């Protein structure tokens, strides 16, 4: 197992000072899986003050209560944590106390899953008391020791386990899966920000749809609005799946970007509340985009998502079912309303939404191809879809005698005419039209 030079130097410095030190956790798991670790963690027999003494000014006391010192290196920060035994957990998240130990095996025994309970150093090779490597080869996620105890200690491990399943392709060992489901209510004690962080690492995973399908009750603890979707029949010819299955098929068809995945997950969350049945027994969901938008906004606020992320998702949810005609005018107006990035996202959402419907209606992909081609052409032509590209500016209008809000209003009106094709985006033509408009308004005022 090859280590980066900066990690080797941290291990060597600790050993030279008479301490034992091992790379532990996710970095070991990732290297054995052929992935590049995002960060490197070291567990050591050294007490925090001993680690600080070894590294001097390179060391930062970032978590002394739990034995953690961050060592600054040329290759990035490396966390060094003293071997420890966790005390009682009272809040389903963190131990009330920790006891430092000199045993790496005792430290590994407190960890969540066997694939994260391995250690490695150049002298000792792989330390694997819980069979993590065998589980890694089987892509099996199994708790260290008693799974009920592990999840009761730290309920966030429930989402971590599902995140590993979605992102890394693991299957949950039956006992671990049962305990995960049985302890899901513990998530109510976890801070919204921590749930958000794990959930939005899970959503981009290749197997996110499968994980959501297998554990809706878990996600329903913090987002109960999802649960009415499960098994809710749509009862119309466009759909061969219930609302939840349609959503999951669409989610699997969209790229693994958090904004896109979240939009697709929530795009039809308002359908159960919008359902009506006509006299022929056909189901309808009139107004469901607006209901979905309101619910999505509420759900994302509950997880304390960043305002920019939330606003983008709810805007795309609101637009997901709007028909945008395949004309220059309609695409220009969509560009004006959404901007290029979000219009591209909307097309991807619409594609995925369509692929989650009955196969007989997948022909809509051709219409989306046309919309995308129009978008590309308009962008290549540097089409005027914003005030930034308009051939006249505020100063031009001030020179004609306009002032205050009238300037912005006039610019918006000119932009609308250009986007509708009524005027060319040429300075002279725009100013001439403005003067005619003002003259006509003046005559009306004089009569």
């Amino acid at each position: 197992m090859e280590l980066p030079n900066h990690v080797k130097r941290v291990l060597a410095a600790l050993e030279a000072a008479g301490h034992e030190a091992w790379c532990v956790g996710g970095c070991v798991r990732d290297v054995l899986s052929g992935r590049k670790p995002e960060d490197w963690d070291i567990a050591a027999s050294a007490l925090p003050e001993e680690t600080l003494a070894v590294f001097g000014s390179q060391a930062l006391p970032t978590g002394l209560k739990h034995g953690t010192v961050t060592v600054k290196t040329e290759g990035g920060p490396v966390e060094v944590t003293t071997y420890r035994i966790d005390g009682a957990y009272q809040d389903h998240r963190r131990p009330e106390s920790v006891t430092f130990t000199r045993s790496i095996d005792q430290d590994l025994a407190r960890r969540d899953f066997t694939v994260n309970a391995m250690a490695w150093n150049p002298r000792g090779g792989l330390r694997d008391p819980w069979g993590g490597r065998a589980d890694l080869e089987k892509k099996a996620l199994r708790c260290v020791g008693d799974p009920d105890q592990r999840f009761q200690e730290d309920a966030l491990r429930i989402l971590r386990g599902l995140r590993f399943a979605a992102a890394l392709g693991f299957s949950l060992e039956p006992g671990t899966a049962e305990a995960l489901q049985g302890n899901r209510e513990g998530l109510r004690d976890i801070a919204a920000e921590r749930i958000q962080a794990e959930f939005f690492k899970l959503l981009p995973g290749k197997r996110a749809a499968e994980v959501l399908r297998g554990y809706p009750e878990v996600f329903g603890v913090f987002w109960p609005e999802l649960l009415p979707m499960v098994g809710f029949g749509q009862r119309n010819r466009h759909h061969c799946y219930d609302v939840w299955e349609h959503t999951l098929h669409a989610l699997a068809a969209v790229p693994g970007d958090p904004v896109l995945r979240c939009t697709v997950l929530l795009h039809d969350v308002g359908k159960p509340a919008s359902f009506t049945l006509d006299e022929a027994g056909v189901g309808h969901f009139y107004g469901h985009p607006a209901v979905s938008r309101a619910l999505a906004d509420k759900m994302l606020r509950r997880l304390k998502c960043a305002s920019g992320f939330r606003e983008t998702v709810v805007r795309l949810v609101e637009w997901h079912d709007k028909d945008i005609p395949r004309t220059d005018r309609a695409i220009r107006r969509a560009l004006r309303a959404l901007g290029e990035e979000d219009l591209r996202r909307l097309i991807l959402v619409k594609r995925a939404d369509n692929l989650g419907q009955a196969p007989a209606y997948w022909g809509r992909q051709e219409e989306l191809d046309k919309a995308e081609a129009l978008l590309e052409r308009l962008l290549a032509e540097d089409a005027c879809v914003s005030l930034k590209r308009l051939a006249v500016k505020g100063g031009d209008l001030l020179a004609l005698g306009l002032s205050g809000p009238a300037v912005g209003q006039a610019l918006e009106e000119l932009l609308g005419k250009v986007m509708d094709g009524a005027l060319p985006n040429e300075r002279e033509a725009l100013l001439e039209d403005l003067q005619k408009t003002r003259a006509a308004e003046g005559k009306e005022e004089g009569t």
Side-chain angles (χ1 to χ4, degrees), residues 6 30-31 34 38 44 81 96 117 121 165 175-176 184 205 219 235 240 258 266 273 315 318 333 355 377 381 391 418:
H6 69 286
D30 288 345
V31 170
E38 292 183 6
T81 302
E96 287 200 339
N121 71 19
T176 295
R184 64 183 182 271
F219 303 103
R235 303 189 57 178
C240 56
L266 303 182
R315 182 165 55 248
E318 184 177 20
R333 288 195 169 273
L355 292 173
R377 180 174 61 75
E381 293 173 352
V418 171

Side-chain angles (χ1 to χ4, degrees), residues 66 84 86-96 112 150-158 160 186-187 189-191 193-195 197-198:
H66 294 95
R84 74 187 204 205
D86 292 339
Y89 287 73
Q90 299 296 329
D91 60 358
H92 295 294
R93 180 66 189 107
R94 292 188 182 280
E96 287 200 339
D112 51 8
R150 293 286 86 85
F151 293 128
Q152 287 164 14
E153 288 171 344
D154 181 357
L156 193 62
R157 288 170 173 166
I158 293 168
R160 278 174 56 81
L187 286 170
D189 295 327
I190 302 299
E193 294 88 347
R194 293 189 176 276
I195 288 177
E198 286 296 333

Side-chain angles (χ1 to χ4, degrees), residues 2-74:
E2 188 61 32
L3 302 180
N5 289 331
H6 69 286
V7 177
K8 289 180 184 177
R9 281 192 280 272
V10 174
L11 290 172
L14 287 163
E15 290 183 346
H19 306 294
E20 188 178 276
W22 300 76
C23 292
V24 292
C27 59
V28 178
R29 178 199 69 221
D30 288 345
V31 170
L32 292 177
S33 301
R35 288 185 296 271
K36 183 179 180 180
E38 292 183 6
D39 46 46
W40 291 87
D41 294 320
I42 289 175
S45 61
L47 296 172
E49 57 269 24
E50 293 172 327
T51 301
L52 289 169
V54 170
F55 294 100
S57 61
Q58 289 179 271
L60 300 174
T62 48
L64 292 185
K65 180 181 177 182
H66 294 95
T68 301
V69 172
T70 299
V71 179
K72 297 180 292 182
T73 78
E74 77 286 353

Side-chain angles (χ1 to χ4, degrees), residues 9-244:
R9 281 192 280 272
V10 174
L11 290 172
L14 287 163
E15 290 183 346
H19 306 294
E20 188 178 276
W22 300 76
C23 292
V24 292
C27 59
V28 178
R29 178 199 69 221
D30 288 345
V31 170
L32 292 177
S33 301
R35 288 185 296 271
K36 183 179 180 180
E38 292 183 6
D39 46 46
W40 291 87
D41 294 320
I42 289 175
S45 61
L47 296 172
E49 57 269 24
E50 293 172 327
T51 301
L52 289 169
V54 170
F55 294 100
S57 61
Q58 289 179 271
L60 300 174
T62 48
L64 292 185
K65 180 181 177 182
H66 294 95
T68 301
V69 172
T70 299
V71 179
K72 297 180 292 182
T73 78
E74 77 286 353
V78 175
E79 285 196 348
V80 178
T81 302
T82 304
Y83 301 156
R84 74 187 204 205
I85 301 169
D86 292 339
Y89 287 73
Q90 299 296 329
D91 60 358
H92 295 294
R93 180 66 189 107
R94 292 188 182 280
E96 287 200 339
S97 63
V98 299
T99 302
F100 298 135
T101 176
R102 299 289 184 175
S103 167
I104 180 63
D105 288 344
Q106 286 183 314
D107 183 85
L108 295 176
R110 71 177 177 81
R111 295 175 181 267
D112 51 8
F113 304 105
T114 61
V115 295
N116 295 331
M118 296 181 285
W120 192 92
N121 71 19
R123 288 174 183 260
L126 184 67
R127 190 93 171 188
D128 184 19
W130 295 96
R133 185 164 199 172
D135 285 341
L136 191 62
E137 290 172 355
K138 293 184 293 185
K139 289 197 169 183
L141 200 64
R142 180 166 57 91
C143 281
V144 172
D146 178 10
D148 277 315
Q149 182 181 348
R150 293 286 86 85
F151 293 128
Q152 287 164 14
E153 288 171 344
D154 181 357
L156 193 62
R157 288 170 173 166
I158 293 168
L159 285 185
R160 278 174 56 81
L162 295 179
R163 191 241 297 179
F164 291 142
L168 305 179
F170 287 111
S171 297
L172 274 65
E173 175 269 332
T176 295
E178 183 180 355
L180 185 149
Q181 285 273 28
N183 289 283
R184 64 183 182 271
E185 290 297 321
L187 286 170
R188 298 191 187 280
D189 295 327
I190 302 299
E193 294 88 347
R194 293 189 176 276
I195 288 177
Q196 177 213 124
E198 286 296 333
F199 184 63
F200 287 108
K201 289 178 184 176
L202 180 159
L203 269 188
K206 291 182 180 179
R207 294 186 60 234
E210 295 174 52
V211 170
L212 286 160
R213 179 178 291 114
Y215 301 91
E217 300 88 353
V218 172
F219 303 103
V221 172
F222 57 88
W223 271 0
E225 294 87 350
L226 297 177
L227 297 179
M229 301 165 70
V230 180
F232 197 101
Q234 306 207 57
R235 303 189 57 178
N236 67 60
R237 67 182 187 277
H238 296 282
H239 289 280
C240 56
Y241 303 116
D242 64 43
V243 176
W244 185 237

Side-chain angles (χ1 to χ4, degrees), residues 266-295:
L266 303 182
H267 79 287
D268 279 349
V269 70
K271 272 192 169 181
S274 309
F275 181 70
T276 58
L277 202 63
D278 67 20
E279 294 178 355
V282 177
H284 301 280
F285 300 94
Y286 299 120
H288 82 272
V291 179
S292 296
R293 182 197 187 284
L295 288 173

